[in-house]
Amino acid sequence: MSEGIPCTWMRGGTSKGAFFLARDLPAVEAERDALLLSVMGSPDPRQIDGIGGADPLTSKVAVVSASDRPGADVDYLFLQVFVDRAVVTDRQNCGNILSGVAQFAVEKGLVRAADGRTEVAVHMVNSAQVAGVTIETPGGAVTYEGNARIDGVPGTAAPVLQNFPEAAGSTCGALLPTGNATDVFDGVAATCIDNGMPVVVLRAADLGITGYEDRADLEANGALKERLESIRRQTGPLMNLGDVEEKSVPKMTLAAPPRGGGAIATRTFIPHRCHVSIGVLGAVSVATACVLPGSTAHALAQVPDGNEKLVSVEHPSGETSVMMNVSLEDGALRVSRAAVLRTARKLFEGQVFPRCVP
């Protein structure tokens, strides 16, 4: 039998994933990725021979270690393990899985908790940015119990506040990597934006849909998915992402006027399956598009006046609120604050066993 590897399985936001200390995984990337594919049971649509949940949202990995970076407490490397392909990618962040990193770091002795609340400076290795994550630690110990509620997760839990002061252009090098608020691909207007997650925002109506369809209907729409993939591949090089055929970014978000009291309605492909909600950093990028004059989302969105805004991004499971501080400086949009409320819960920890390789 293969030797077991220490592993913690956590829900972070509306995702689930395996959390590892970096020292417990192979240092060689190819060996590490092979092990993670085995652990998750990929490639297989059911991930029947692993712990993955047969969905991109439940086939995720966090690799955590103490950080040597000035101003950071821990390093967090996010890895997306594809379900039906033998692919492990580090080309994106994940704000949902980030929701569990601070608790994991405290419980593994990487960070000392304060009595009451603890703020952990998390170096997001994928994009070399630092996020501030505040968690509840009464008596100097992590708690997962609380009254915070997020759409897409039943019940309540302890609040986790994430602030992303360094998000703009974190992956693509610029908030608007093409240099334009709007570009046109295959006759469809698109806003290519990166405020923590590379996202292409398109008006749903321009693609012949309402933007309010349920996830199953959108996933069954082969013609729509082909058009989205064509546009996605064209945007890749222009967003400084290169050939994105085998990559999980950019995400493709279809926007429509809000109808649930929020700022904008969305349906997001990640990139080939329709998201049951929306990713944390994806919501930050979409919220930024909402306040960007000339973007595909701006005319559709209903956002409050003033520099401080709460932008509610509607999605199939409800909404995600993004607290923002924005301003226009010399005609350019500047985002000085983008914070999101999340929750997390530890589900189990122990050892996970990769399959034996003859």
Side-chain angles (χ1 to χ4, degrees):
M1 176 180 290
S2 299
E3 292 186 4
I5 301 164
C7 176
T8 301
W9 189 251
M10 297 185 74
R11 175 187 65 78
T14 53
S15 294
K16 289 192 289 188
F19 286 62
F20 297 95
L21 290 171
R23 65 173 180 255
D24 292 328
L25 294 177
V28 178
E29 183 177 313
E31 295 177 6
R32 178 203 69 196
D33 291 354
L35 183 147
L36 294 177
L37 287 165
S38 173
V39 163
M40 287 295 181
S42 299
D44 172 40
R46 296 173 62 203
Q47 290 184 319
I48 193 63
D49 201 32
I51 64 174
D55 188 286
L57 302 183
T58 56
S59 187
K60 298 184 173 186
V61 170
V63 183
V64 184
S65 60
S67 182
D68 293 328
R69 173 171 169 156
D73 297 311
V74 296
D75 290 340
Y76 154 52
L77 173 67
F78 171 70
L79 298 171
Q80 178 71 61
V81 181
F82 280 48
V83 174
D84 54 0
R85 286 189 281 170
V87 175
V88 179
T89 179
D90 63 0
R91 292 305 301 270
Q92 68 173 79
N93 286 316
C94 181
N96 275 307
I97 293 299
L98 173 65
S99 305
V101 169
Q103 300 92 321
F104 179 79
V106 169
E107 292 185 340
K108 296 303 178 183
L110 302 180
V111 174
R112 178 175 293 180
D115 183 5
R117 290 188 177 90
T118 300
E119 182 171 348
V120 180
V122 180
H123 171 215
M124 303 172 73
V125 176
N126 305 68
S127 59
Q129 70 184 100
V130 176
V133 181
T134 303
I135 60 172
E136 302 293 301
T137 52
V142 170
T143 182
Y144 297 97
E145 302 300 320
N147 297 317
R149 183 187 301 275
I150 62 172
D151 286 337
V153 178
T156 63
V160 179
L161 185 64
Q162 303 176 353
N163 187 28
F164 303 99
E166 303 176 354
S170 57
T171 299
C172 301
L175 179 68
L176 298 175
T178 70
N180 305 314
T182 303
D183 297 280
V184 177
F185 303 95
D186 295 343
V188 179
T191 293
C192 301
I193 192 165
D194 173 20
N195 198 19
M197 177 66 69
V199 176
V200 179
V201 183
L202 310 104
R203 289 183 289 259
D206 291 346
L207 289 157
I209 62 172
T210 66
Y212 310 123
E213 291 83 356
D214 64 30
R215 183 190 192 196
D217 288 342
L218 291 173
E219 289 212 335
N221 190 335
L224 172 66
K225 292 169 71 173
E226 286 182 11
R227 293 185 71 187
L228 289 176
E229 182 62 8
S230 172
I231 294 170
R232 195 178 78 90
R233 292 191 186 185
Q234 292 175 64
T235 64
L238 297 177
M239 297 180 73
N240 300 316
L241 297 171
D243 183 351
V244 298
E245 181 178 359
E246 297 292 329
K247 296 176 183 176
S248 56
V249 289
K251 311 302 186 187
M252 308 296 288
T253 293
L254 308 176
R259 65 173 186 177
I264 194 84
T266 65
R267 296 294 185 267
T268 298
F269 283 78
I270 55 171
H272 305 118
R273 297 187 65 178
C274 187
H275 203 310
V276 69
S277 56
I278 191 170
V280 171
L281 289 161
V284 173
S285 288
V286 171
T288 306
C290 288
V291 301
L292 175 68
S295 78
T296 50
H298 186 258
L300 302 175
Q302 297 178 12
V303 296
D305 295 329
N307 290 347
E308 293 188 2
K309 306 174 186 293
L310 191 150
V311 181
S312 172
V313 179
E314 298 176 4
H315 53 71
S317 298
E319 68 87 34
T320 297
S321 293
V322 182
M323 294 164 278
M324 307 184 72
N325 193 303
V326 300
S327 58
L328 284 173
E329 299 180 3
D330 297 325
L333 183 70
R334 181 177 181 272
V335 182
S336 56
R337 181 172 185 251
V340 180
L341 175 68
R342 295 279 86 188
T343 66
R345 190 167 79 88
K346 182 167 66 175
L347 302 177
F348 68 78
E349 66 179 352
Q351 292 186 317
V352 66
F353 293 87
R355 71 173 68 92
C356 295
V357 179

